[in-house]
């Protein structure tokens, strides 16, 4: 199963190819996507992305995970979160969201088992 292409990104809006939903923040993995609802894990810009935010995507068997920190990179990614991914044998890329989406799409096009979590505003 391949990772779906992110078809479009603008401030507060993301579209995933093959999905009718428009996301503000989203999680994507080989074969699917859904809204990334920060309230589920109590996530905030600081301290930022927690392992609990990534668990669902990790369980989909991804080899690489791309984290989009927002258009202005306001979303933090603590070292403990990066360490969690590395401990699970997953390559991690932490980038500004536009760069993260471009990198994710490039990896997906190459057939890499890539997942991502993307914040589309600040």
């Amino acid at each position: 199963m391949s990772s779906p292409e992110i078809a479009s990104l603008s401030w507060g809006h993301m579209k995933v190819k093959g999905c009718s939903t428009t996301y503000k923040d989203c999680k994507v993995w080989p074969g699917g996507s859904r809204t990334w609802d920060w309230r589920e894990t109590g996530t905030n810009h600081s301290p930022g992305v927690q392992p609990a935010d990534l668990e669902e995507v990790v369980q989909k068997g991804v080899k690489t995970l791309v984290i989009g920190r927002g258009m202005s990179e306001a979303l933090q990614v603590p070292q403990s979160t990066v360490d969690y991914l590395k401990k699970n044998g997953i390559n991690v890329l932490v980038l500004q969201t536009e760069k993260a989406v471009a990198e994710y799409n490039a990896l997906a096009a190459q057939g890499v088992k890539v997942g991502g979590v993307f914040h589309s505003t600040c």
Side-chain angles (χ1 to χ4, degrees), residues 5-63:
E5 176 188 344
I6 295 172
S8 67
L9 167 68
S10 60
W11 185 275
H13 301 278
M14 295 186 74
K15 292 285 294 169
V16 174
K17 194 171 187 173
C19 179
S20 60
T21 307
T22 298
Y23 301 113
K24 176 177 171 269
D25 299 322
C26 74
K27 297 180 179 188
V28 290
W29 57 83
S33 65
R34 78 170 184 92
T35 293
W36 178 16
D37 183 349
W38 291 15
R39 293 172 296 194
E40 292 173 357
T41 55
T43 295
N44 218 314
H45 286 103
S46 181
V49 183
Q50 306 302 305
D53 293 309
L54 309 175
E55 217 168 86
E56 176 181 17
V57 179
V58 167
Q59 289 173 356
K60 303 292 184 185
V62 300
K63 300 292 178 219

Side-chain angles (χ1 to χ4, degrees), residues 62-122:
V62 300
K63 300 292 178 219
T64 300
L65 193 128
V66 182
I67 300 173
R69 293 188 49 211
M71 300 300 210
S72 305
E73 299 184 87
L75 179 60
Q76 301 301 303
V77 180
Q79 187 60 46
S80 58
T81 298
V82 173
D83 292 343
Y84 160 77
L85 291 166
K86 288 183 177 174
K87 185 182 74 152
N88 282 283
I90 297 168
N91 298 319
V92 59
L93 298 166
V94 179
L95 302 163
Q96 184 267 357
T97 295
E98 289 160 310
K99 291 178 179 142
V101 165
E103 189 64 31
Y104 166 88
N105 278 342
L107 290 166
Q110 294 167 26
V112 174
K113 285 191 78 161
V114 62
V117 293
F118 302 100
H119 179 44
S120 74
T121 57
C122 45

